[in-house]
Amino acid sequence: MSGFDYTKLKGSAQRLLKRFGKPAVIVREEDSGGGGGDPWDPGSGTVEVEHPCRIVTGSFEQSLIDGSRVQANDLQVTLSTEGLTITPTTADKLKIGDTSYSIIACHAVEPGEVVLLYRLQIRD
């Protein structure tokens, strides 16, 4: 028996997110490679790098909000993999418009060996 071809499903997910989603930016602190040059004041040695993406946001169901793991203002985000050159992590930030959110949880939707999309929980 042959396996299911998830690449077609990934293409469908990307088309829907492109059509109905909105732009956002994943912000990641990366090593600048410079370090400042002065050994007594090396600086942070990091720079914020922006990675554009497409998302759809939604609220959590009331039954899932417990006040600690999921808070009332948390949002669920579906994130397209199209054009994304990084794997999002909880160390990253997600910027939607002028608002920056912390990524609380990040899970790849990967039923086979193909990552279809990412599901995030974000908090401001």
Side-chain angles (χ1 to χ4, degrees):
M1 174 162 51
S2 66
F4 185 80
D5 182 11
Y6 288 101
T7 55
K8 290 182 182 179
L9 189 57
K10 180 179 180 174
S12 295
Q14 289 176 348
R15 280 190 302 280
L16 288 169
L17 284 163
K18 189 174 190 175
R19 183 174 177 190
F20 298 109
K22 58 185 170 185
V25 175
I26 296 174
V27 180
R28 174 171 288 176
E29 282 195 12
E30 296 182 4
D31 184 9
S32 66
D38 183 350
W40 292 276
D41 185 19
S44 67
T46 61
V47 63
E48 287 189 346
V49 178
E50 295 187 346
H51 301 273
C53 57
R54 296 281 299 171
I55 63 166
V56 172
T57 60
S59 301
F60 280 92
E61 291 181 31
Q62 189 65 36
S63 63
L64 297 174
I65 299 171
D66 63 4
S68 59
R69 288 181 54 125
V70 179
Q71 297 180 6
N73 292 330
D74 287 359
L75 294 174
Q76 292 186 71
V77 175
T78 303
L79 172 67
S80 176
T81 59
E82 185 174 26
L84 198 59
T85 58
I86 61 168
T87 299
T89 71
T90 55
D92 298 327
K93 302 282 187 192
L94 184 67
K95 189 175 178 184
I96 305 171
D98 292 333
T99 306
S100 184
Y101 297 88
S102 296
I103 298 175
I104 305 304
C106 179
H107 305 284
V109 177
E110 187 176 14
E113 296 198 12
V114 176
V115 177
L116 302 179
L117 49 88
Y118 293 97
R119 297 297 308 247
L120 309 178
Q121 175 186 354
I122 62 171
R123 182 176 297 153
D124 61 357

